[in-house]
């Protein structure tokens, strides 16, 4: 058999004996790079030197004499008993134990002993590698198995990872078949905020847009919307948002709780009773499918599709009322969300006041008294049964406020007359005018006064007291905004209040934060306030 020009010169003459099959522990040239070639028949991966291909029945490595020191070479005692190496994406292909020692130049017996020792080391390394990878496979029966410590740690870190990533796109399916409700949008774990478009055959009265925080749920019903939901507009509509009672355990409230609950600032305790089910891929990303307890999901534990970085890609389980739910997360879909005004509006970048801003706030009482009064409009989503709208006037010279309040849904109407620290109220006909009549009815002026009651009373009272003394305490500028084509600065005051001042120092909006975290607002249109009536306080 002739020697190929690309092979090394032989140290001994060829005996004519066919070369043996690839040996374990085969020598590697110290100065030649190599790569692994995995065989499709399950044999051990063998080195392949660059520039050399396989011939039928032979490897590309140089041949060696079939005898050593005049004796026939012994068969490899480990041949045919090596474990099969199955590489996983991203694993190290060098875990095949092929780190072989070089041959000695003359001492063939030493070389043979070294080869046998290398084969034993290679087999031991393979076994260790397989034991390391074993957690990624089912047990010997091919069924699910308990979580390893590393997998339990990934589940424990899952919610912290979500908070670190800030937000993600979501697609939620609740129920099945004709009762199925589908929700598409985003969750922001850092704020926290959920913004969804609701559709599907089972949406019913929930069809439309939803924005929710951990404490408040707002809906914008749209019965005429398409049955299939789509991504909501990044800048949400400003009108027709209503408060919705978040019924515990089911519906929109349960979806809100599930999504927001997937983010936290503390690592959970590792699950001790979870199960590994199988390998899978979601959007091209390798994941482990695990079943493990996860707050706030209930019993039975949800099934989680989790990647190697503890990022959740999919969740299936049941809501508290037993309704099946599936959540798919799109980790790359993470635009900045814009909460509606009732949830605080754009977060901005709060900072300390400049000298000019502090001077404008200090001059506010004098400006209000000089202004005398303004017409006002109130938007107060206080509760599903008390979603209030009001129009009227505020007079800072009296001082007093006089408004007609309409309760949406029921159509109930009342007249309210407010003075600093005192409120009076009388019922009006449901079909009466939306604006308060002038002059102020004698029945309202004679009605028993009471302290401010609900949040609308508190907002009117704060507006009247703003003409007495300038704001004090820790005040921050939240952001610059636009209102009625005017540039305004939004200031946050102690007590959960906000003041929107234009650059001329006139107030354009006053806001008050309610217990559930909803901001109710009083929009002001500077001008003479007629019809406040009554005597000075």
């Amino acid at each position: 058999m002739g020697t190929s020009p690309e092979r090394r010169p032989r140290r001994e003459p060829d005996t004519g004996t066919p070369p043996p099959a690839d040996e374990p522990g085969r020598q590697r040239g110290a100065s030649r790079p190599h790569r692994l070639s995995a065989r499709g028949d399950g044999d051990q991966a063998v080195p392949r030197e660059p520039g050399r291909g396989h011939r039928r029945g032979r490897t590309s490595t140089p041949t060696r004499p079939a005898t050593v020191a005049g004796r026939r070479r012994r068969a490899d005692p480990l041949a045919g008993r090596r474990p099969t190496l199955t590489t996983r994406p991203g694993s190290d292909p060098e875990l095949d134990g092929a780190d072989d020692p070089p041959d000695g130049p003359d001492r063939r017996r030493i070389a043979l002993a070294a080869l046998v020792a290398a084969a034993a080391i290679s087999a031991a390394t393979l076994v260790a590698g397989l034991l390391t990878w074993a957690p990624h496979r089912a047990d010997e029966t091919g069924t699910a198995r308990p979580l390893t410590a590393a997998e339990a740690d990934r589940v424990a870190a899952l919610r912290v990872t979500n908070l670190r990533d800030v937000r993600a796109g979501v697609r939620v399916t609740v129920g099945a078949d004709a009762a199925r409700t589908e929700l598409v949008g985003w969750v922001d774990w850092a704020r926290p905020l959920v913004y969804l478009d609701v559709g599907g055959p089972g949406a019913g009265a929930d069809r439309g847009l939803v924005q929710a925080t951990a404490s408040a749920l707002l809906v914008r019903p749209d019965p005429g919307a398409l049955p299939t939901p789509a991504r909501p507009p990044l800048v949400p509509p400003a009108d027709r948002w209503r408060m919705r009672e978040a019924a515990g355990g089911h519906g929109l409230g349960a979806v809100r709780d599930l999504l927001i609950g997937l983010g936290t600032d503390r690592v959970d305790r590792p699950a001790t009773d979870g199960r590994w089910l199988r390998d899978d891929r979601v959007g091209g990303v390798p994941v482990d499918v695990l079943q493990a307890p996860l707050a706030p999901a209930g019993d039975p534990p949800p099934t989680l599709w989790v990647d190697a970085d503890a990022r959740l890609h999919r969740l299936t389980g049941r809501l508290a009322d037993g309704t099946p739910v599936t959540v798919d997360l799109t980790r790359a879909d993470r635009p900045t969300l814009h909460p509606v005004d009732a949830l605080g509006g754009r977060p901005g970048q709060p900072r300390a006041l400049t000298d000019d801003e502090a001077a404008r706030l200090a001059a506010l009482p004098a400006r209000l008294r000089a202004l005398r009064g303004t017409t006002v409009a109130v938007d107060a989503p206080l509760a599903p049964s008390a979603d209030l709208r009001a129009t009227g006037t505020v007079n800072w010279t009296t001082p007093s406020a006089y408004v007609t309040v309409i309760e949406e849904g029921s159509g109930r109407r009342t007249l309210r007359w407010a003075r600093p620290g005192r409120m009076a109220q009388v019922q009006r006909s449901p079909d009466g005018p939306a604006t308060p009549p002038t002059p102020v009815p004698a029945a309202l002026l004679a009605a028993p006064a009471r302290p401010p009651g609900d949040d609308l009373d508190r907002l009117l009272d704060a507006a009247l007291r703003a003409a007495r003394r300038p704001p004090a305490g820790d005040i921050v500028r939240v952001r610059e905004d636009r209102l009625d084509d005017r540039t305004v600065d939004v200031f946050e005051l102690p007590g959960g209040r906000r003041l929107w001042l234009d650059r001329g120092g006139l107030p354009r909006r006053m806001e008050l934060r309610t217990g559930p975290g909803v901001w109710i607002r009083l929009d002001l249109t500077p001008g003479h306030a007629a019809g406040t009536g009554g005597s000075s306080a």
Side-chain angles (χ1 to χ4, degrees):
M1 182 180 300
T3 304
S4 173
E6 63 187 46
R7 296 180 180 164
R8 296 182 299 179
R10 301 182 184 277
R11 293 195 179 96
E12 292 187 11
D14 194 346
T15 63
T17 305
D22 260 13
E23 300 177 36
R26 188 70 193 144
Q27 175 186 354
R28 294 184 180 183
S31 63
R32 297 184 181 181
H34 66 276
R35 58 189 176 88
L36 290 179
S37 174
R39 295 183 177 181
D41 56 1
D43 292 346
Q44 180 189 359
V46 296
R48 177 188 295 170
E49 294 191 7
R52 297 188 180 185
H54 282 282
R55 294 184 181 179
R56 184 180 303 274
R58 302 185 56 178
T59 68
S60 62
T61 54
T63 60
R64 305 177 76 182
T67 61
V68 176
R71 287 182 287 181
R72 185 175 299 277
R73 177 175 304 207
R74 287 185 288 177
D76 182 1
L78 298 177
R81 297 204 311 239
R82 296 185 178 223
T84 300
L85 175 63
T86 303
T87 57
R88 291 166 53 91
S91 63
D92 187 354
E94 294 297 325
L95 293 179
D96 59 14
D99 191 9
D100 305 329
D103 283 341
D106 300 313
R107 308 180 71 172
R108 298 296 182 180
R109 293 181 181 179
I110 297 175
L112 179 59
L115 287 172
V116 173
I121 294 172
S122 176
T125 305
L126 264 174
V127 172
L130 290 172
L131 289 177
T132 301
W133 289 348
H136 298 284
R137 299 178 180 147
D139 59 23
E140 295 179 356
T141 65
T143 60
R145 55 160 176 78
L147 296 182
T148 65
E151 290 162 351
D153 286 343
R154 271 194 286 157
V155 175
L158 183 152
R159 298 200 298 151
V160 168
T161 301
N162 284 340
L163 182 62
R164 180 194 65 193
D165 287 354
V166 181
R167 53 189 168 265
V170 297
R171 176 176 287 273
V172 183
T173 302
V174 180
D177 302 327
R180 184 180 72 256
T181 301
E182 298 173 346
L183 307 96
V184 177
W186 302 275
V187 55
D188 185 324
W189 292 291
R191 188 170 174 90
L193 178 72
V194 170
Y195 182 25
L196 303 169
D197 183 21
V198 184
D206 291 335
R207 190 180 307 278
L209 298 178
V210 174
Q211 281 206 359
T213 64
S215 57
L217 178 66
L218 297 181
V219 298
R220 188 177 187 271
D222 187 1
L226 294 175
T228 302
R231 285 170 36 132
L234 280 177
V235 178
D239 62 345
R240 294 168 45 203
W241 289 93
R242 300 177 181 176
M243 222 172 155
R244 170 72 61 82
E245 190 70 38
H250 66 277
L252 295 178
V255 173
R256 182 271 313 267
D257 294 343
L258 173 61
L259 293 178
I260 290 180
L262 290 176
T264 187
D265 59 355
R266 294 186 180 183
V267 175
D268 296 323
R269 297 182 62 182
T272 58
D273 55 349
R275 303 284 290 173
W276 181 94
L277 303 180
R278 65 184 183 276
D279 288 322
D280 203 347
R281 298 180 76 87
V282 177
V285 178
V287 295
D288 288 300
V289 184
L290 314 172
Q291 189 175 49
L294 183 68
D299 193 42
T303 302
L304 313 169
W305 280 252
V306 185
D307 67 19
D309 296 321
R311 286 186 171 90
L312 179 68
H313 293 263
R314 179 176 296 159
L315 175 151
T316 62
R318 292 186 178 274
L319 300 177
D321 64 353
T323 305
V325 61
T326 298
V327 177
D328 285 292
L329 298 174
T330 306
R331 311 297 307 201
D333 184 15
R334 46 195 311 273
T336 300
L337 302 186
H338 295 265
V340 295
D341 287 341
L343 294 178
R346 293 185 299 105
Q349 295 181 337
R351 60 164 174 78
L353 304 181
T354 65
D355 291 342
D356 173 71
E357 291 163 351
R360 272 191 285 158
L361 287 170
L364 179 62
R367 288 185 178 275
L368 292 179
R369 292 192 296 268
L371 186 62
R372 296 185 59 191
T374 178
T375 57
V376 296
V378 175
D379 185 357
L382 299 179
S385 60
D387 196 14
L388 307 181
R389 300 288 184 270
T391 56
T393 56
V394 170
N395 189 310
W396 285 289
T397 58
T398 311
S400 61
Y402 176 41
V403 295
T404 296
V405 181
I406 302 174
E407 184 178 299
E408 291 195 351
S410 68
R412 180 173 177 264
R413 301 189 181 198
T414 58
L415 290 179
R416 293 195 194 190
W417 185 43
R419 291 156 291 174
R422 293 179 292 171
M423 301 288 161
Q425 177 176 305
V426 295
Q427 291 290 121
R428 295 290 291 175
S429 171
D431 56 357
T435 56
T438 55
V440 179
L444 182 58
L445 295 175
R450 56 174 175 79
D454 60 17
D455 290 314
L456 176 55
D457 284 349
R458 293 174 52 222
L459 178 60
L460 293 173
D461 189 64
L464 294 176
R465 294 180 184 275
R468 290 188 169 184
R469 60 183 64 89
D474 295 330
I475 304 173
V476 296
R477 177 188 180 272
V478 177
R479 66 178 184 269
E480 177 184 293
D481 214 315
R482 296 284 295 178
L483 189 63
D484 296 332
D485 294 328
R486 289 183 175 85
T487 300
V488 296
D489 293 299
V490 182
F491 301 98
E492 191 155 330
L493 286 59
R497 294 176 293 145
R498 281 183 178 176
L499 186 61
W500 298 44
L501 286 185
D502 65 21
R503 297 299 165 84
L506 291 178
R508 298 290 172 174
R509 177 177 290 177
M510 295 182 180
E511 292 181 305
L512 179 71
R513 185 183 176 93
T514 68
V518 175
W519 292 86
I520 63 174
R521 69 175 186 261
L522 182 73
D523 286 317
L524 302 96
T525 304
H528 180 67
T532 53
S535 59
S536 177

